[in-house]
Amino acid sequence: MKSRLIEALCGVAMCLTVVTCGTQGGETKGEGTMNIERQPFGTTPAGAEVELYTLVNANGLRARIMTYGGIVVSLETPDRDGKLADVTLGYDTLQEYIRDNPYFGSVVGRYGNRIGKARFTLDGVEYVLAANDGENHLHGGLRGFDKVVWRAEPVERDDAVGVKLHYVSKDGEEGYPGTLTCTLTYLLTNNDELRIEYEAETDKPTPVNLTHHSYFNLAGQGTGDILGHELMINADRFTPVDASLIPTGELRSVEDTPMDFRTAKPIGRDIGQDDEQLRLGKGYDHNWVLNDADGSLALAARAFEPTTGRVMEVYTTEPGIQFYSGNFLDGSNVGKGGKVYEHRYGFCLETQHFPDSPNKPNFPSVILRPGDRYTSTTMYKFVTE
Ligand code: GLA
């Protein structure tokens, strides 16, 4: 497919239009036009200007991504009748994201999920991290990658439009060793995938575990709870947690437990069971150990929403996935269009290495060393049935 990039100044908004010329040879499903648009989205209290990128693929799917926190602000996908709805939770304005964001749509880093007692020892040196979840470190600390402004540039590929984000995390930031240079590329493909490619390099050994924290509701954001979604997770085992949600180190079979999603079942089917792990997580808030994780992009999970027919498949190169059933949502977040996000109105599928890996020698290593390159890819693919 041929394409060309036109850059023009439209009032205050910078519009980058990628025009796709023809779709011969069945290269793509859509006959429409891919588009990238860039516009101002406000200013942080520190005076940094934030931009919003709007990506549209050839089938009309639309993703809006901002440079603050690399946040996916909205994601519109069709139902079985072709009707678009926004399937992610979030806010209408930058100020609301800055005020109180439980990681809606965010990039999470330098370390997704918890590190126990906010410390770890690497090459004989103990590092103390910011404690922001009781005595533990959660999602990169007090000012994680979800709260920084990324530098952005538009990306155009034959079958996708996207935005490439850059952030340099300083040596010592939130307690981590080493300067970490990160690049993250969001691509909205003509196969209806939101593809996220992460890359990072460091100048000192450091743990790295980047993920994405969209809260999904495939019936449309703010329309109800997610308990009727049918979920499959391709995992025979999960990592049970202690009372502060730190993995015990065990890889436990899901067999005969509410954690068994090997065959799709409604999220609500077993969530109310009297089960120790569900009690500790206040629902599902656990890491599953993905089957056959060999570093290639493989199917990790699949969610189906029966009333709209929307299906989301999650593919990843990562060995784990955190399934969080929105247990901390309690109606105190008023989101896009004034929708009130009540208990379990969204769920997250966060691809990752396992929580607390820096303190768990039996878990796959998360240590990146100088000269090596961290790479990770996750894809959320939308279809209907
Ligand atoms: C992750 C954690 C949860 C919670 C959510 C955000 O899923 O495991 O405990 O912090 O993020 O609220």
Side-chain angles (χ1 to χ4, degrees):
M1 182 195 306
K2 294 193 199 99
S3 59
R4 80 198 151 95
L5 189 73
I6 302 169
E7 191 158 350
L9 199 59
C10 328
V12 288
M14 180 75 81
C15 302
L16 306 168
T17 307
V18 178
V19 181
T20 60
C21 308
T23 51
Q24 311 114 345
E27 289 163 328
T28 61
K29 288 195 301 185
E31 297 296 324
T33 302
M34 291 192 287
N35 199 62
I36 310 177
E37 196 177 300
R38 183 168 70 186
Q39 63 195 94
F41 197 57
T43 307
T44 68
E49 285 177 10
V50 174
E51 291 177 331
L52 182 73
Y53 279 74
T54 301
L55 313 176
V56 182
N57 80 357
N59 306 315
L61 275 74
R62 196 165 85 120
R64 293 190 306 144
I65 296 164
M66 68 160 149
T67 53
Y68 175 83
I71 289 173
V72 174
V73 173
S74 63
L75 180 60
E76 288 166 61
T77 75
D79 67 7
R80 58 164 77 90
D81 301 320
K83 191 164 164 271
L84 291 176
D86 182 0
V87 297
T88 60
L89 276 53
Y91 295 116
D92 288 320
T93 64
L94 173 65
Q95 275 60 40
E96 291 163 292
Y97 280 102
I98 292 173
R99 194 185 314 135
D100 177 24
N101 181 17
Y103 306 96
F104 290 148
S106 303
V107 177
V108 179
R110 190 176 295 200
Y111 199 92
N113 214 275
R114 291 176 180 77
I115 296 178
K117 301 202 165 41
R119 63 191 63 218
F120 63 92
T121 300
L122 176 56
D123 298 338
V125 179
E126 183 178 77
Y127 294 94
V128 179
L129 303 171
N132 60 328
D133 182 60
E135 59 178 6
N136 298 324
H137 176 85
L138 175 67
H139 293 331
L142 296 164
R143 188 165 179 264
F145 291 4
D146 58 298
K147 295 182 186 68
V148 301
V149 178
W150 297 63
R151 187 167 58 77
E153 58 187 302
V155 173
E156 179 204 2
R157 296 202 185 159
D158 276 355
D159 62 343
V161 282
V163 53
K164 195 171 200 164
L165 301 173
H166 306 271
Y167 177 63
V168 179
S169 169
K170 293 197 181 65
D171 189 3
E173 200 171 286
E174 302 297 316
Y176 288 104
T179 306
L180 190 74
T181 306
C182 305
T183 305
L184 190 154
T185 309
Y186 281 109
L187 293 164
L188 186 63
T189 76
N190 288 341
N191 285 324
D192 297 348
E193 299 144 348
L194 181 68
R195 185 183 166 105
I196 313 175
E197 299 172 351
Y198 306 86
E199 287 172 86
E201 284 181 306
T202 185
D203 61 1
K204 287 183 194 163
T206 186
V208 185
N209 189 29
L210 306 180
T211 189
H212 178 71
H213 208 296
S214 273
Y215 288 65
F216 296 98
N217 186 327
L218 300 179
Q221 66 94 17
T223 59
D225 68 47
I226 47 75
L227 299 175
H229 285 59
E230 293 171 20
L231 179 67
M232 184 283 293
I233 304 177
N234 181 24
D236 295 336
R237 293 172 299 171
F238 75 108
T239 52
V241 291
D242 68 15
S244 67
L245 298 187
I246 299 297
T248 60
E250 183 190 350
L251 307 183
R252 188 181 291 172
S253 169
V254 298
E255 182 106 36
D256 297 325
T257 79
M259 315 314 250
D260 192 349
F261 284 93
R262 290 173 296 182
T263 303
K265 66 177 178 187
I267 292 172
R269 180 177 294 172
D270 297 329
I271 203 167
Q273 272 191 23
D274 184 21
D275 172 88
E276 185 211 24
Q277 286 298 314
L278 287 175
R279 272 199 306 277
L280 293 171
K282 300 187 168 45
Y284 295 108
D285 191 356
H286 296 80
N287 170 69
W288 272 255
V289 179
L290 294 170
N291 292 339
D292 318 313
D294 62 1
S296 61
L297 197 63
L299 182 68
R302 186 177 197 272
F304 167 62
E305 201 290 302
T307 66
T308 60
R310 286 195 186 85
V311 174
M312 181 176 78
E313 294 172 346
V314 185
Y315 296 82
T316 189
T317 57
E318 289 295 308
I321 195 165
Q322 187 85 11
F323 166 45
Y324 168 59
S325 51
N327 312 313
F328 296 129
L329 295 177
D330 59 4
S332 60
N333 301 102
V334 180
K336 289 176 275 190
K339 303 277 192 201
V340 178
Y341 299 143
E342 304 284 358
H343 196 216
R344 298 182 175 151
Y345 263 39
F347 66 95
C348 304
L349 288 168
E350 305 153 59
T351 56
Q352 61 184 6
H353 272 55
F354 309 164
D356 202 33
S357 293
N359 295 309
K360 296 287 188 300
N362 61 320
F363 286 179
S365 173
V366 290
I367 304 304
L368 180 70
R369 293 186 180 273
D372 290 344
R373 176 177 278 265
Y374 170 92
T375 59
S376 175
T377 300
T378 290
M379 206 165 76
Y380 297 94
K381 180 178 170 64
F382 296 90
V383 296
T384 58
E385 75 178 32

